Amino acid sequence: MKQTAVVIAPGRGTYNKTELGYLARHHPNAPNLGQFDAFRIKLGQKTVSELDTAARFSGPTHTRGDNASALIYACAHADFGAIDRDRFDIIGVTGNSMGWYIALACAGALDPMGGMQVVNTMGTLMQEQMIGGQLIYPFVDADWKEIPNQRENLMREVFAINARPDHVLGLSIDLGGMLVLAGNEAGLVAFENSAPVLQERYPMRLPNHAGFHTHLQKPVSELGFSALPEHLFDQPSIPLVDGRGAIWQPKSTDTNALYTYTLGHQVYELFDFTAAIRTAARELMPDVFIILGPGTTLIGATAQALIRSKWRGWNSKLDVQKKNQGQPRLLSMAAMHTSV
């Protein structure tokens, strides 16, 4: 008997040193890779194949928006195609941040090349404009339990910093047990100076990341509308859960609204990944969640979002580990590639 599944597409920052060669290892005959490479060649960009098979990982090269976006899209799209449809009935797709563009392609609202065009265009525009930056900071403890009042206190500090002259700071992504904050340099530095250092690494700046999902990105949104035509968008064939927790249903989606949301609100307003996971869990009620590669960094954030949603009695990291052993409910293509 098939299990029902909601698929989650990853965002930026998921293709790192350990992921080098992901496509070559897992998808040497990926059906669309030749088209993706040809598209990049026409634009004078390094091909996805060249980036994936490089002799060594280079942070300045592989994490650039114009390279990382296309690379992650190609990996995730190939992973989606590799999911065993005899084992899983895919009843919904969602994503984190840039993963929304990938989700659109997986759900059929963009065809494979339309997905690459959207991902590559927006990634390139973000890199060229590079407005602002991002950092992450947790509000859960080591067992993924919320620290009392931590989130509220952090957000109070964010609002106070944003109110200062020439300071911009806001919540970019609600990511499970993490706050992804975005702003200008003054705003980011002010938070770094005020927040206690946790686990010897937080607050953590995200390299080559702009101030995604804040009003700083309105110029990028405008350029995106100019560069990408509406006719790329079609009815999804699988329900899509967006960064507000709203569901776009097959056969009843207003494609103009989907286009407008994708290049408008989704670019410069909060992306609530936790709300997307909560909606998927409660409204679509899947047996399992499957996270696409590359990388495994989204596993923790997804589990934390499910804990906050009180899914299947999960209350802590220990709960997730115990209950995911006998009958796994949270699967990762990168971690379990041969079995999924």
Side-chain angles (χ1 to χ4, degrees):
M1 184 175 174
K2 289 186 183 182
Q3 288 184 300
T4 57
V6 166
V7 174
I8 305 170
R12 289 275 301 276
T14 52
Y15 192 106
N16 297 298
K17 187 175 182 179
T18 54
E19 283 71 56
L20 188 65
Y22 190 92
L23 273 172
R25 285 193 303 275
H26 300 305
H27 306 291
N29 300 308
N32 301 107
L33 187 56
Q35 290 176 295
F36 296 164
D37 284 347
F39 176 78
R40 299 262 300 173
I41 287 171
K42 284 184 179 179
L43 295 174
Q45 297 175 315
K46 288 188 176 183
T47 67
V48 170
S49 297
E50 182 183 357
L51 291 165
D52 184 63
T53 58
R56 63 187 63 184
F57 181 83
S58 165
T61 298
H62 286 88
T63 66
R64 287 175 54 95
D66 47 355
N67 292 333
S69 298
L71 193 51
I72 292 166
Y73 172 74
C75 292
H77 192 267
D79 265 359
F80 183 78
I83 295 173
D84 185 350
R85 300 310 199 274
D86 291 330
R87 286 184 60 192
F88 300 105
D89 178 17
I90 299 172
I91 59 171
V93 187
T94 189
N96 173 45
S97 190
M98 190 204 86
W100 171 248
Y101 305 140
I102 304 171
L104 288 167
C106 292
L110 295 169
D111 66 25
M113 280 308 300
M116 172 56 78
Q117 187 174 344
V118 171
V119 165
N120 199 77
T121 298
M122 296 307 290
T124 299
L125 289 174
M126 291 283 188
Q127 182 66 37
E128 289 173 349
Q129 300 297 311
M130 195 50 72
I131 306 168
Q134 273 184 323
L135 59 78
I136 57 176
Y137 197 87
F139 58 91
V140 295
D141 62 20
D143 196 30
W144 293 348
K145 293 180 179 179
E146 289 195 42
I147 301 168
N149 302 317
Q150 174 86 323
R151 191 181 189 283
E152 292 78 7
N153 292 337
L154 289 170
M155 288 309 302
R156 264 196 295 272
E157 182 64 15
V158 169
F159 294 143
I161 291 171
N162 189 61
R164 298 177 192 173
D166 303 319
H167 287 63
V168 178
L169 190 67
L171 181 57
S172 172
I173 307 172
D174 193 320
L175 188 64
M178 295 275 188
L179 297 179
V180 183
L181 304 178
N184 63 7
E185 186 65 15
L188 293 168
V189 169
F191 184 85
E192 288 168 335
N193 290 337
S194 68
V197 175
L198 295 179
Q199 303 172 33
E200 299 182 355
R201 56 177 177 161
Y202 299 112
M204 180 192 294
R205 285 279 190 121
L206 299 175
N208 269 327
H209 284 221
F212 307 145
H213 311 298
T214 68
H215 282 213
L216 290 171
Q217 298 306 309
K218 280 203 167 182
V220 173
S221 169
E222 292 168 3
L223 291 168
F225 277 119
S226 297
L228 295 165
E230 184 182 337
H231 67 72
L232 291 173
F233 289 71
D234 203 349
Q235 288 287 328
S237 56
I238 303 170
L240 273 162
V241 186
D242 70 21
R244 302 165 299 181
I247 301 178
W248 301 81
Q249 295 283 4
K251 299 181 181 178
S252 62
T253 286
D254 180 336
T255 54
N256 173 262
L258 183 60
Y259 169 74
T260 301
Y261 164 76
T262 297
L263 300 182
H265 185 288
Q266 188 275 145
V267 174
Y268 54 74
E269 298 287 356
L270 165 68
F271 196 99
D272 196 337
F273 177 73
T274 298
I277 297 301
R278 182 174 59 246
T279 293
R282 294 178 180 177
E283 300 295 328
L284 302 180
M285 296 186 292
D287 295 320
V288 299
F289 283 87
I290 301 175
I291 303 172
L292 304 177
T296 58
T297 55
L298 202 55
I299 295 174
T302 302
Q304 290 160 11
L306 289 169
I307 289 169
R308 289 176 66 192
S309 303
K310 304 187 185 306
W311 191 62
R312 296 188 180 275
W314 290 6
N315 294 302
S316 67
K317 184 176 184 178
L318 187 60
D319 268 352
V320 175
Q321 291 171 336
K322 284 181 177 178
K323 295 180 180 181
N324 213 42
Q325 282 178 348
Q327 188 176 15
R329 299 290 186 180
L330 186 56
L331 306 175
S332 162
M333 291 295 283
M336 304 174 65
H337 215 283
T338 55
S339 64
V340 178

